[in-house]
Each structure stands twice: as structure tokens, then as C-alpha cells.
């Protein structure tokens, strides 16, 4: 299988409507998870929380998948947090990229996990599983998030403890960031749970919401549509079940053209 990942080769073969960007850093966390950073086109604009199509040229054809941009809108580079799938049409190749390689990126970002899609509130929950943390990695590094909410609670649930490391490193770096560190120290709460290993907080986030344990652990009252807002990104089952719990609590689903109390990202399902 012929994969074009060298900048010169990709530049010559790139389809119209795509940027060719150079990989600047790669970090592998587990056999299933890695992050990479790449150059950002000078003309590329996006809202923190949006996603974009990332791809490679494979056997003469571009192959793309939707990836949330994990870096904030002010960052000079673009960051992505990805799964590795051994036989995944794209990720079996993407996981092998090295600094100096290049990838394709379509020019138009989009997505529902943006601050503009929520009506004002006091507290925002960002519910994530696995690589669903990526859009929230963008949002918790954006000053606008802290200007809009008094409390920012990011929940990240994974199967194994090792899979939490990207998020743990991210939150620590965010709280020490010269631009937003002071706001993050005051307002950002990171709640991690694991489903398959022993850990202080164990279980699916939906079970922790339903039982009330999440709110007891955090020392906050249960969901209140008057002040609480939500964002959801994860597996299909997690999206469906978390959405149902938020609706049961009286929150309504919003969108870019109709802001409400919570939003769901469905671009990565199916």
C-alpha cells in the first residue's frame, strides 16, 4: 500500500481544497492512543471545540476522517488526539507519522461543541470518554470559556488508568499556562474515572451521573437547567445515554443556530 507522507510528495499529489501541513511533534501514550502537532496555515481560522477533516494520500486517493482540533483557536500550531486502530483505513497509517512528515487537512472546520452553541450559565460540564476529550482540550485552553462560565468541569472516562495521561498532562499544563493558568486554577475541575481497573473513581460517567456520585464527589448540587450547561463527546452509547440523563434533568439540546443548555458532537459516530 503506497502512502504519501513526505511533504514534497504530498504537495505534488494533494487534491484541491486541502492544505498540506508538516507534523512537528508526535507522542504515543498507549498502544491505542497518541497525539500529534502540526503547522497551522496562516489563513486557517476556527472556533475552539470545532473539528476538521485530516487525511493522507493512500494508493493515489485522499482518505479523510473527522478530527477534533485539540489546540485552542489562538495556538500557532494545531494539535490532535487520536486512537490507533490496527486495521483502520486511516489510523493504521496515521499512527506511524513522524516529525517532518506531512498530512492533508481540509480547509473548513465545523462542529457543535463551541461556546456559542450554549446559552449563558454558571457551570459547564464537558463529558468525555477516550479521545472525546480532544474538543475540550481546545476549550479549556480558551479564555472565552472562563469568561463565560464560573466553573468548568471536565469529566474523562477511560477503560484503563494509562489512557488518562493525555488529559492529566493537559490540565496540569493548562493550570501553569501564562495566558490562562490563573483562570484555570480558579475555575477548572478535572474529574477522571476508569471502568476496567482499580481507581479512586470507578465506573461509566453515566452511572456516576445517575447515582449522584459525580455530584457528591465534586461537592456540587445535581444538574440544574437554570445554571448548568453540558457538552458531550464520546462513543455512540455514551452520547445517547448522557443526552438522556441531561434531558431528564430538564436541559435542552442546542445547536449553532439555536443555542440551548447542552450540545452533542455526532461527527465521529458510526
Amino acid at each position: 500500500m503506497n502512502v504519501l507522507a513526505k511533504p514534497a510528495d504530498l504537495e505534488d499529489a494533494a487534491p484541491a481544497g486541502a492544505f498540506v501541513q508538516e507534523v512537528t511533534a508526535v507522542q504515543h501514550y498507549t498502544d491505542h492512543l497518541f497525539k500529534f502537532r502540526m503547522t497551522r496555515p496562516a489563513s486557517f481560522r476556527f472556533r475552539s471545540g470545532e473539528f476538521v477533516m485530516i487525511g493522507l494520500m493512500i494508493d493515489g486517493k485522499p482518505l479523510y476522517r473527522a478530527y477534533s482540533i485539540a489546540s485552542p483557536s489562538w495556538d500557532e500550531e494545531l494539535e490532535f488526539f487520536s486512537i490507533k486502530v490496527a486495521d483502520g483505513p486511516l489510523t493504521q497509517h496515521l499512527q506511524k507519522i513522524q516529525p517532518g512528515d506531512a498530512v492533508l487537512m481540509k480547509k473548513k472546520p465545523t462542529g457543535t461543541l463551541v461556546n456559542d452553541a450554549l446559552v449563558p450559565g454558571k457551570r459547564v460540564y464537558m463529558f468525555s470518554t477516550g479521545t472525546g476529550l480532544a474538543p475540550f482540550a481546545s476549550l479549556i485552553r480558551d479564555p472565552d470559556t472562563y469568561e463565560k462560565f464560573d466553573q468548568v468541569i471536565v469529566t474523562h472516562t477511560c477503560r484503563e488508568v494509562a489512557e488518562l495521561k493525555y488529559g492529566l498532562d493537559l490540565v496540569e499544563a493548562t493550570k501553569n499556562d501564562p495566558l490562562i493558568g490563573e483562570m484555570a486554577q480558579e475555575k477548572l475541575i478535572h474529574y477522571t474515572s476508569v471502568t476496567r481497573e482499580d481507581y479512586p473513581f470507578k465506573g461509566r460517567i453515566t452511572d456516576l451521573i445517575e447515582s449522584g456520585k459525580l455530584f457528591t464527589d465534586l461537592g456540587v448540587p445535581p444538574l440544574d437547567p437554570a445554571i448548568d450547561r453540558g457538552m458531550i463527546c464520546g462513543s455512540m452509547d455514551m452520547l445517547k445515554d448522557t443526552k438522556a440523563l441531561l434531558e431528564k434533568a430538564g436541559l435542552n439540546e442546542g445547536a449553532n443556530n439555536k443555542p440551548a443548555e447542552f450540545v452533542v458532537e455526532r461527527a465521529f459516530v458510526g
Side-chain angles (χ1 to χ4, degrees), residues 119-133:
V119 292
K122 177 184 177 184
R123 181 185 298 118
V124 61
Y125 288 89
M126 300 176 180
F127 298 108
S128 69
T129 56
T131 55
L133 181 64

Side-chain angles (χ1 to χ4, degrees), residues 61-229:
K61 296 180 180 178
L63 179 63
Y64 295 97
R65 291 290 184 270
Y67 271 82
S68 287
I69 304 169
S71 44
S73 59
W74 53 263
D75 200 326
E76 293 180 357
E77 292 188 335
L78 298 173
E79 180 176 307
F80 300 91
F81 184 38
S82 177
I83 58 170
K84 306 177 193 178
V85 181
D87 57 353
L90 179 62
T91 60
Q92 66 172 302
H93 305 294
L94 194 63
Q95 64 184 284
K96 298 172 185 173
I97 57 173
Q98 301 290 332
D101 288 346
V103 296
L104 296 170
M105 184 179 77
K106 289 195 176 180
K107 296 186 176 182
K108 185 170 172 52
T110 188
T112 56
L113 298 180
V114 293
N115 285 324
D116 292 345
L118 295 176
V119 292
K122 177 184 177 184
R123 181 185 298 118
V124 61
Y125 288 89
M126 300 176 180
F127 298 108
S128 69
T129 56
T131 55
L133 181 64
F136 306 140
S138 176
L139 284 160
I140 67 169
R141 289 185 274 186
D142 192 320
D144 288 348
T145 301
Y146 300 103
E147 289 170 9
K148 187 163 185 174
F149 299 102
D150 295 335
Q151 201 169 44
V152 179
I153 299 173
V154 180
T155 80
H156 189 208
T157 302
C158 294
R159 295 168 300 176
E160 300 168 359
V161 176
E163 296 172 342
L164 297 172
K165 183 162 176 56
Y166 172 76
L168 294 169
D169 289 351
L170 167 77
V171 169
E172 182 181 3
T174 300
K175 290 188 174 182
N176 290 309
D177 185 273
L179 175 66
I180 46 145
E182 193 172 326
M183 290 182 286
Q185 287 175 27
E186 180 187 347
K187 297 186 176 186
L188 177 62
I189 297 172
H190 186 207
Y191 183 92
T192 53
S193 64
V194 168
T195 58
R196 294 188 184 176
E197 293 184 326
D198 285 335
Y199 193 70
F201 303 117
K202 190 170 182 181
R204 297 176 67 213
I205 190 62
T206 45
D207 293 336
L208 296 166
I209 295 171
E210 198 160 24
S211 68
K213 187 176 187 306
L214 171 67
F215 310 109
T216 302
D217 289 342
L218 292 171
V220 299
L223 292 170
D224 179 351
I227 61 171
D228 289 323
R229 305 294 173 254

